[in-house]
Amino acid sequence: MSTGTLKPEQYRKWLPYWAVFQTDMQQTVHTWIYRLWLLASILILAGFFTYRFGVYKETGIIQHGSLFFLQSLRWTILASMTLVVVLTTGCISSERGTLADSVLSRGISRYQYFLGKWHARLVTVIGTFLLLGSITILGCIFFLHEDLSFKGCIIALIAICALLFTVVTCCVTVSAIINSTVLGIITVWVILYGVTLGLSYFPSVHLSPEVTMQALPHMVKGEYDIQALGRLLVWTLGISLGISSFGMLWFARRDI
């Protein structure tokens, strides 16, 4: 009687990364900060649509969709930025008490832990922003005057997502370097204000948030430069990869 040989169990190298990614996304969407951000955004969009549609029905005044879309984008960028920074800066620093047990005592490398946290916050923040932006575009097309370009609105959303990509990356990196969440939030704001102020003196730099904000009214109407968007994506991707690489190496070598 022949006995069969048991196949060795296959080791999945990136399974710990996937576990961290899924767990962090579930924790993020259940936090009160994320729910506050989502609820406030939905209520403001609903209020804006109700007001604009009511004015059109009562007075017959044409409500330009491009103006409403720009107002909603600016609110998301300016008013929601504080919640986004708070939501992402504490992803690693807030878990310092259990970090040694979860990383050092198990088969999870620090690189996988950092990547899982970083990618989970990116998907959550940018995915939520794209969802709210898509709802806004559809509402503007169906309920308001169609003076905006669908492709232009998509280009505007991509440009804002590129800036959010860099902001979230900076927040996660600071969270991996600084132990205190409050100190990390202050540090991120100092960095963001300092970089924005510095880039304002170089208007030719396509990474400047001020240049992007000034171009939004033209983008949503279909007047956009696809090459400028490409340069913005390249700059933000390159800077984000550089920041994240520095944070990941620092986190891998420091004491927890």
Side-chain angles (χ1 to χ4, degrees):
M1 181 176 180
S2 61
T3 58
T5 58
L6 296 177
K7 293 183 179 180
E9 193 172 325
Q10 186 178 6
Y11 174 69
R12 298 181 181 180
K13 183 178 180 180
W14 289 100
L15 186 60
Y17 158 81
W18 183 246
V20 173
F21 178 85
Q22 287 182 313
T23 302
D24 191 75
M25 280 198 65
Q26 293 175 358
Q27 292 176 349
T28 303
V29 298
H30 286 92
T31 57
W32 67 268
I33 300 176
Y34 176 83
R35 293 181 177 182
L36 177 62
W37 175 34
L38 187 61
L39 179 62
S41 300
I42 293 176
L43 290 178
I44 288 180
L45 287 177
F48 264 115
F49 275 122
T50 302
Y51 172 75
R52 297 289 183 179
F53 190 68
V55 169
Y56 174 73
K57 285 297 183 180
E58 292 293 331
T59 63
I61 299 176
I62 295 178
Q63 303 293 302
H64 295 282
S66 59
L67 179 61
F68 173 80
F69 188 71
L70 286 173
Q71 290 175 347
S72 63
L73 276 183
R74 289 180 178 178
W75 181 90
T76 304
I77 298 169
L78 300 177
S80 299
M81 191 59 66
T82 300
L83 296 177
V84 171
V85 169
V86 175
L87 183 67
T88 53
T89 305
C91 65
I92 296 178
S93 59
S94 62
E95 298 182 356
R96 290 293 178 183
T98 59
L99 196 56
D101 178 67
S102 61
V103 176
L104 298 182
S105 302
R106 300 181 183 180
I108 306 175
S109 68
R110 296 192 184 188
Y111 297 105
Q112 291 178 335
Y113 186 86
F114 181 90
L115 290 174
K117 289 286 186 178
W118 176 37
H119 293 163
R121 299 301 166 115
L122 281 175
V123 172
T124 303
V125 172
I126 295 180
T128 302
F129 177 78
L130 288 176
L131 176 62
L132 296 173
S134 301
I135 294 175
T136 306
I137 293 176
L138 294 177
C140 291
I141 292 177
F142 285 106
F143 295 106
L144 302 176
H145 183 64
E146 298 182 14
D147 67 329
L148 48 81
S149 169
F150 181 78
K151 291 183 179 180
C153 292
I154 299 298
I155 294 296
L157 288 179
I158 294 175
I160 301 303
C161 286
L163 298 178
L164 282 176
F165 189 94
T166 305
V167 171
V168 173
T169 302
C170 181
C171 292
V172 175
T173 301
V174 170
S175 180
I177 296 174
I178 299 178
N179 293 336
S180 173
T181 301
V182 176
L183 182 59
I185 293 174
I186 297 174
T187 303
V188 169
W189 276 118
V190 171
I191 294 174
L192 292 180
Y193 276 115
V195 172
T196 302
L197 180 62
L199 290 176
S200 64
Y201 292 100
F202 302 95
S204 59
V205 179
H206 298 281
L207 184 61
S208 175
E210 184 177 356
V211 173
T212 304
M213 293 294 294
Q214 293 176 354
L216 287 180
H218 304 284
M219 289 183 182
V220 298
K221 294 181 180 180
E223 304 170 2
Y224 54 85
D225 185 1
I226 196 66
Q227 294 182 353
L229 177 66
R231 288 191 292 267
L232 176 65
L233 295 177
V234 171
W235 272 99
T236 52
L237 180 60
I239 292 177
S240 298
L241 290 178
I243 294 174
S244 61
S245 298
F246 173 78
M248 186 165 51
L249 291 175
W250 184 287
F251 179 68
R253 295 176 178 272
R254 67 169 302 180
D255 294 331
I256 297 179

PDB file of all heavy atoms in Angstrom, residues 117-141:
ATOM      1  N   LYS A 117      -0.924  50.255   6.333  1.00  0.00           N
ATOM      2  CA  LYS A 117      -1.550  51.457   6.899  1.00  0.00           C
ATOM      3  C   LYS A 117      -1.649  52.570   5.860  1.00  0.00           C
ATOM      4  O   LYS A 117      -2.696  53.218   5.720  1.00  0.00           O
ATOM      5  CB  LYS A 117      -0.731  51.938   8.101  1.00  0.00           C
ATOM      6  CG  LYS A 117      -0.818  51.043   9.325  1.00  0.00           C
ATOM      7  CD  LYS A 117      -2.157  51.208  10.001  1.00  0.00           C
ATOM      8  CE  LYS A 117      -2.230  50.447  11.293  1.00  0.00           C
ATOM      9  NZ  LYS A 117      -3.519  50.624  11.993  1.00  0.00           N
ATOM     10  N   TRP A 118      -0.570  52.780   5.129  1.00  0.00           N
ATOM     11  CA  TRP A 118      -0.521  53.850   4.131  1.00  0.00           C
ATOM     12  C   TRP A 118      -1.555  53.625   3.037  1.00  0.00           C
ATOM     13  O   TRP A 118      -2.345  54.523   2.712  1.00  0.00           O
ATOM     14  CB  TRP A 118       0.895  53.923   3.559  1.00  0.00           C
ATOM     15  CG  TRP A 118       1.076  54.914   2.453  1.00  0.00           C
ATOM     16  CD1 TRP A 118       0.497  56.139   2.348  1.00  0.00           C
ATOM     17  CD2 TRP A 118       1.893  54.768   1.286  1.00  0.00           C
ATOM     18  NE1 TRP A 118       0.898  56.764   1.189  1.00  0.00           N
ATOM     19  CE2 TRP A 118       1.757  55.947   0.538  1.00  0.00           C
ATOM     20  CE3 TRP A 118       2.741  53.755   0.835  1.00  0.00           C
ATOM     21  CZ2 TRP A 118       2.447  56.132  -0.664  1.00  0.00           C
ATOM     22  CZ3 TRP A 118       3.418  53.946  -0.353  1.00  0.00           C
ATOM     23  CH2 TRP A 118       3.266  55.124  -1.098  1.00  0.00           C
ATOM     24  N   HIS A 119      -1.576  52.447   2.457  1.00  0.00           N
ATOM     25  CA  HIS A 119      -2.492  52.165   1.360  1.00  0.00           C
ATOM     26  C   HIS A 119      -3.949  52.160   1.827  1.00  0.00           C
ATOM     27  O   HIS A 119      -4.849  52.590   1.087  1.00  0.00           O
ATOM     28  CB  HIS A 119      -2.132  50.821   0.716  1.00  0.00           C
ATOM     29  CG  HIS A 119      -0.812  50.847   0.021  1.00  0.00           C
ATOM     30  ND1 HIS A 119      -0.121  49.692  -0.328  1.00  0.00           N
ATOM     31  CD2 HIS A 119      -0.037  51.884  -0.378  1.00  0.00           C
ATOM     32  CE1 HIS A 119       1.011  50.025  -0.926  1.00  0.00           C
ATOM     33  NE2 HIS A 119       1.085  51.343  -0.966  1.00  0.00           N
ATOM     34  N   ALA A 120      -4.203  51.692   3.040  1.00  0.00           N
ATOM     35  CA  ALA A 120      -5.574  51.688   3.552  1.00  0.00           C
ATOM     36  C   ALA A 120      -6.108  53.110   3.705  1.00  0.00           C
ATOM     37  O   ALA A 120      -7.260  53.392   3.329  1.00  0.00           O
ATOM     38  CB  ALA A 120      -5.629  50.952   4.889  1.00  0.00           C
ATOM     39  N   ARG A 121      -5.295  54.010   4.248  1.00  0.00           N
ATOM     40  CA  ARG A 121      -5.747  55.403   4.397  1.00  0.00           C
ATOM     41  C   ARG A 121      -5.897  56.093   3.052  1.00  0.00           C
ATOM     42  O   ARG A 121      -6.799  56.904   2.851  1.00  0.00           O
ATOM     43  CB  ARG A 121      -4.761  56.168   5.292  1.00  0.00           C
ATOM     44  CG  ARG A 121      -4.648  55.609   6.702  1.00  0.00           C
ATOM     45  CD  ARG A 121      -5.972  55.616   7.425  1.00  0.00           C
ATOM     46  NE  ARG A 121      -5.952  54.794   8.623  1.00  0.00           N
ATOM     47  CZ  ARG A 121      -6.092  55.262   9.862  1.00  0.00           C
ATOM     48  NH1 ARG A 121      -6.265  56.544  10.067  1.00  0.00           N
ATOM     49  NH2 ARG A 121      -6.089  54.430  10.898  1.00  0.00           N
ATOM     50  N   LEU A 122      -5.020  55.760   2.099  1.00  0.00           N
ATOM     51  CA  LEU A 122      -5.150  56.339   0.759  1.00  0.00           C
ATOM     52  C   LEU A 122      -6.458  55.911   0.103  1.00  0.00           C
ATOM     53  O   LEU A 122      -7.196  56.744  -0.447  1.00  0.00           O
ATOM     54  CB  LEU A 122      -3.969  55.906  -0.113  1.00  0.00           C
ATOM     55  CG  LEU A 122      -2.640  56.638   0.066  1.00  0.00           C
ATOM     56  CD1 LEU A 122      -1.564  55.988  -0.785  1.00  0.00           C
ATOM     57  CD2 LEU A 122      -2.775  58.112  -0.286  1.00  0.00           C
ATOM     58  N   VAL A 123      -6.750  54.625   0.140  1.00  0.00           N
ATOM     59  CA  VAL A 123      -7.972  54.116  -0.490  1.00  0.00           C
ATOM     60  C   VAL A 123      -9.210  54.698   0.186  1.00  0.00           C
ATOM     61  O   VAL A 123     -10.180  55.087  -0.484  1.00  0.00           O
ATOM     62  CB  VAL A 123      -7.991  52.575  -0.438  1.00  0.00           C
ATOM     63  CG1 VAL A 123      -9.337  52.035  -0.902  1.00  0.00           C
ATOM     64  CG2 VAL A 123      -6.871  51.999  -1.302  1.00  0.00           C
ATOM     65  N   THR A 124      -9.190  54.802   1.513  1.00  0.00           N
ATOM     66  CA  THR A 124     -10.355  55.306   2.241  1.00  0.00           C
ATOM     67  C   THR A 124     -10.617  56.769   1.929  1.00  0.00           C
ATOM     68  O   THR A 124     -11.745  57.166   1.589  1.00  0.00           O
ATOM     69  CB  THR A 124     -10.153  55.125   3.752  1.00  0.00           C
ATOM     70  OG1 THR A 124      -9.904  53.741   4.034  1.00  0.00           O
ATOM     71  CG2 THR A 124     -11.390  55.571   4.505  1.00  0.00           C
ATOM     72  N   VAL A 125      -9.584  57.601   2.039  1.00  0.00           N
ATOM     73  CA  VAL A 125      -9.754  59.045   1.848  1.00  0.00           C
ATOM     74  C   VAL A 125     -10.061  59.378   0.391  1.00  0.00           C
ATOM     75  O   VAL A 125     -11.042  60.076   0.086  1.00  0.00           O
ATOM     76  CB  VAL A 125      -8.495  59.797   2.328  1.00  0.00           C
ATOM     77  CG1 VAL A 125      -8.588  61.277   1.953  1.00  0.00           C
ATOM     78  CG2 VAL A 125      -8.339  59.654   3.838  1.00  0.00           C
ATOM     79  N   ILE A 126      -9.243  58.885  -0.528  1.00  0.00           N
ATOM     80  CA  ILE A 126      -9.440  59.217  -1.939  1.00  0.00           C
ATOM     81  C   ILE A 126     -10.709  58.564  -2.480  1.00  0.00           C
ATOM     82  O   ILE A 126     -11.431  59.160  -3.280  1.00  0.00           O
ATOM     83  CB  ILE A 126      -8.202  58.793  -2.751  1.00  0.00           C
ATOM     84  CG1 ILE A 126      -6.990  59.608  -2.308  1.00  0.00           C
ATOM     85  CG2 ILE A 126      -8.449  58.982  -4.245  1.00  0.00           C
ATOM     86  CD1 ILE A 126      -5.712  59.264  -3.047  1.00  0.00           C
ATOM     87  N   GLY A 127     -11.011  57.342  -2.037  1.00  0.00           N
ATOM     88  CA  GLY A 127     -12.247  56.701  -2.464  1.00  0.00           C
ATOM     89  C   GLY A 127     -13.483  57.461  -2.014  1.00  0.00           C
ATOM     90  O   GLY A 127     -14.440  57.629  -2.779  1.00  0.00           O
ATOM     91  N   THR A 128     -13.460  57.950  -0.770  1.00  0.00           N
ATOM     92  CA  THR A 128     -14.591  58.742  -0.274  1.00  0.00           C
ATOM     93  C   THR A 128     -14.726  60.049  -1.038  1.00  0.00           C
ATOM     94  O   THR A 128     -15.833  60.473  -1.390  1.00  0.00           O
ATOM     95  CB  THR A 128     -14.407  59.029   1.226  1.00  0.00           C
ATOM     96  OG1 THR A 128     -14.290  57.791   1.936  1.00  0.00           O
ATOM     97  CG2 THR A 128     -15.587  59.809   1.773  1.00  0.00           C
ATOM     98  N   PHE A 129     -13.594  60.699  -1.301  1.00  0.00           N
ATOM     99  CA  PHE A 129     -13.633  61.949  -2.059  1.00  0.00           C
ATOM    100  C   PHE A 129     -14.173  61.736  -3.469  1.00  0.00           C
ATOM    101  O   PHE A 129     -14.978  62.535  -3.967  1.00  0.00           O
ATOM    102  CB  PHE A 129     -12.243  62.557  -2.116  1.00  0.00           C
ATOM    103  CG  PHE A 129     -12.158  63.812  -2.941  1.00  0.00           C
ATOM    104  CD1 PHE A 129     -12.594  65.025  -2.432  1.00  0.00           C
ATOM    105  CD2 PHE A 129     -11.660  63.773  -4.236  1.00  0.00           C
ATOM    106  CE1 PHE A 129     -12.529  66.180  -3.196  1.00  0.00           C
ATOM    107  CE2 PHE A 129     -11.593  64.917  -5.001  1.00  0.00           C
ATOM    108  CZ  PHE A 129     -12.019  66.130  -4.488  1.00  0.00           C
ATOM    109  N   LEU A 130     -13.752  60.658  -4.129  1.00  0.00           N
ATOM    110  CA  LEU A 130     -14.251  60.374  -5.475  1.00  0.00           C
ATOM    111  C   LEU A 130     -15.746  60.055  -5.460  1.00  0.00           C
ATOM    112  O   LEU A 130     -16.484  60.441  -6.375  1.00  0.00           O
ATOM    113  CB  LEU A 130     -13.477  59.207  -6.077  1.00  0.00           C
ATOM    114  CG  LEU A 130     -12.037  59.485  -6.488  1.00  0.00           C
ATOM    115  CD1 LEU A 130     -11.358  58.218  -6.991  1.00  0.00           C
ATOM    116  CD2 LEU A 130     -11.977  60.575  -7.558  1.00  0.00           C
ATOM    117  N   LEU A 131     -16.214  59.371  -4.414  1.00  0.00           N
ATOM    118  CA  LEU A 131     -17.638  59.072  -4.298  1.00  0.00           C
ATOM    119  C   LEU A 131     -18.452  60.351  -4.151  1.00  0.00           C
ATOM    120  O   LEU A 131     -19.459  60.552  -4.851  1.00  0.00           O
ATOM    121  CB  LEU A 131     -17.874  58.151  -3.101  1.00  0.00           C
ATOM    122  CG  LEU A 131     -19.335  57.825  -2.779  1.00  0.00           C
ATOM    123  CD1 LEU A 131     -19.985  57.084  -3.935  1.00  0.00           C
ATOM    124  CD2 LEU A 131     -19.428  57.014  -1.498  1.00  0.00           C
ATOM    125  N   LEU A 132     -18.015  61.240  -3.264  1.00  0.00           N
ATOM    126  CA  LEU A 132     -18.721  62.505  -3.081  1.00  0.00           C
ATOM    127  C   LEU A 132     -18.650  63.366  -4.343  1.00  0.00           C
ATOM    128  O   LEU A 132     -19.633  64.013  -4.723  1.00  0.00           O
ATOM    129  CB  LEU A 132     -18.125  63.269  -1.899  1.00  0.00           C
ATOM    130  CG  LEU A 132     -18.274  62.610  -0.521  1.00  0.00           C
ATOM    131  CD1 LEU A 132     -17.490  63.385   0.526  1.00  0.00           C
ATOM    132  CD2 LEU A 132     -19.739  62.504  -0.131  1.00  0.00           C
ATOM    133  N   GLY A 133     -17.478  63.356  -5.002  1.00  0.00           N
ATOM    134  CA  GLY A 133     -17.350  64.124  -6.236  1.00  0.00           C
ATOM    135  C   GLY A 133     -18.235  63.588  -7.351  1.00  0.00           C
ATOM    136  O   GLY A 133     -18.816  64.361  -8.117  1.00  0.00           O
ATOM    137  N   SER A 134     -18.364  62.270  -7.442  1.00  0.00           N
ATOM    138  CA  SER A 134     -19.233  61.679  -8.473  1.00  0.00           C
ATOM    139  C   SER A 134     -20.697  62.025  -8.232  1.00  0.00           C
ATOM    140  O   SER A 134     -21.444  62.322  -9.175  1.00  0.00           O
ATOM    141  CB  SER A 134     -19.046  60.157  -8.490  1.00  0.00           C
ATOM    142  OG  SER A 134     -17.708  59.807  -8.756  1.00  0.00           O
ATOM    143  N   ILE A 135     -21.105  62.001  -6.958  1.00  0.00           N
ATOM    144  CA  ILE A 135     -22.483  62.389  -6.622  1.00  0.00           C
ATOM    145  C   ILE A 135     -22.730  63.840  -7.004  1.00  0.00           C
ATOM    146  O   ILE A 135     -23.792  64.193  -7.540  1.00  0.00           O
ATOM    147  CB  ILE A 135     -22.749  62.159  -5.128  1.00  0.00           C
ATOM    148  CG1 ILE A 135     -22.690  60.665  -4.808  1.00  0.00           C
ATOM    149  CG2 ILE A 135     -24.101  62.734  -4.726  1.00  0.00           C
ATOM    150  CD1 ILE A 135     -22.813  60.354  -3.333  1.00  0.00           C
ATOM    151  N   THR A 136     -21.750  64.690  -6.746  1.00  0.00           N
ATOM    152  CA  THR A 136     -21.886  66.109  -7.085  1.00  0.00           C
ATOM    153  C   THR A 136     -22.004  66.307  -8.588  1.00  0.00           C
ATOM    154  O   THR A 136     -22.823  67.100  -9.060  1.00  0.00           O
ATOM    155  CB  THR A 136     -20.686  66.895  -6.542  1.00  0.00           C
ATOM    156  OG1 THR A 136     -20.546  66.648  -5.144  1.00  0.00           O
ATOM    157  CG2 THR A 136     -20.874  68.380  -6.771  1.00  0.00           C
ATOM    158  N   ILE A 137     -21.187  65.597  -9.364  1.00  0.00           N
ATOM    159  CA  ILE A 137     -21.238  65.724 -10.821  1.00  0.00           C
ATOM    160  C   ILE A 137     -22.602  65.301 -11.355  1.00  0.00           C
ATOM    161  O   ILE A 137     -23.215  66.006 -12.175  1.00  0.00           O
ATOM    162  CB  ILE A 137     -20.117  64.878 -11.464  1.00  0.00           C
ATOM    163  CG1 ILE A 137     -18.749  65.450 -11.125  1.00  0.00           C
ATOM    164  CG2 ILE A 137     -20.302  64.836 -12.980  1.00  0.00           C
ATOM    165  CD1 ILE A 137     -17.602  64.609 -11.638  1.00  0.00           C
ATOM    166  N   LEU A 138     -23.106  64.165 -10.897  1.00  0.00           N
ATOM    167  CA  LEU A 138     -24.406  63.679 -11.361  1.00  0.00           C
ATOM    168  C   LEU A 138     -25.520  64.646 -10.966  1.00  0.00           C
ATOM    169  O   LEU A 138     -26.445  64.897 -11.750  1.00  0.00           O
ATOM    170  CB  LEU A 138     -24.679  62.287 -10.781  1.00  0.00           C
ATOM    171  CG  LEU A 138     -23.745  61.171 -11.271  1.00  0.00           C
ATOM    172  CD1 LEU A 138     -24.076  59.859 -10.561  1.00  0.00           C
ATOM    173  CD2 LEU A 138     -23.862  60.996 -12.778  1.00  0.00           C
ATOM    174  N   GLY A 139     -25.445  65.185  -9.749  1.00  0.00           N
ATOM    175  CA  GLY A 139     -26.459  66.147  -9.324  1.00  0.00           C
ATOM    176  C   GLY A 139     -26.440  67.408 -10.151  1.00  0.00           C
ATOM    177  O   GLY A 139     -27.491  67.960 -10.501  1.00  0.00           O
ATOM    178  N   CYS A 140     -25.240  67.894 -10.478  1.00  0.00           N
ATOM    179  CA  CYS A 140     -25.134  69.102 -11.301  1.00  0.00           C
ATOM    180  C   CYS A 140     -25.682  68.872 -12.707  1.00  0.00           C
ATOM    181  O   CYS A 140     -26.308  69.752 -13.296  1.00  0.00           O
ATOM    182  CB  CYS A 140     -23.672  69.554 -11.380  1.00  0.00           C
ATOM    183  SG  CYS A 140     -22.991  70.187  -9.833  1.00  0.00           S
ATOM    184  N   ILE A 141     -25.454  67.690 -13.251  1.00  0.00           N
ATOM    185  CA  ILE A 141     -25.911  67.399 -14.609  1.00  0.00           C
ATOM    186  C   ILE A 141     -27.435  67.270 -14.665  1.00  0.00           C
ATOM    187  O   ILE A 141     -28.086  67.770 -15.592  1.00  0.00           O
ATOM    188  CB  ILE A 141     -25.240  66.117 -15.134  1.00  0.00           C
ATOM    189  CG1 ILE A 141     -23.737  66.357 -15.332  1.00  0.00           C
ATOM    190  CG2 ILE A 141     -25.882  65.654 -16.435  1.00  0.00           C
ATOM    191  CD1 ILE A 141     -22.969  65.135 -15.780  1.00  0.00           C
TER     192      ILE A 141
END
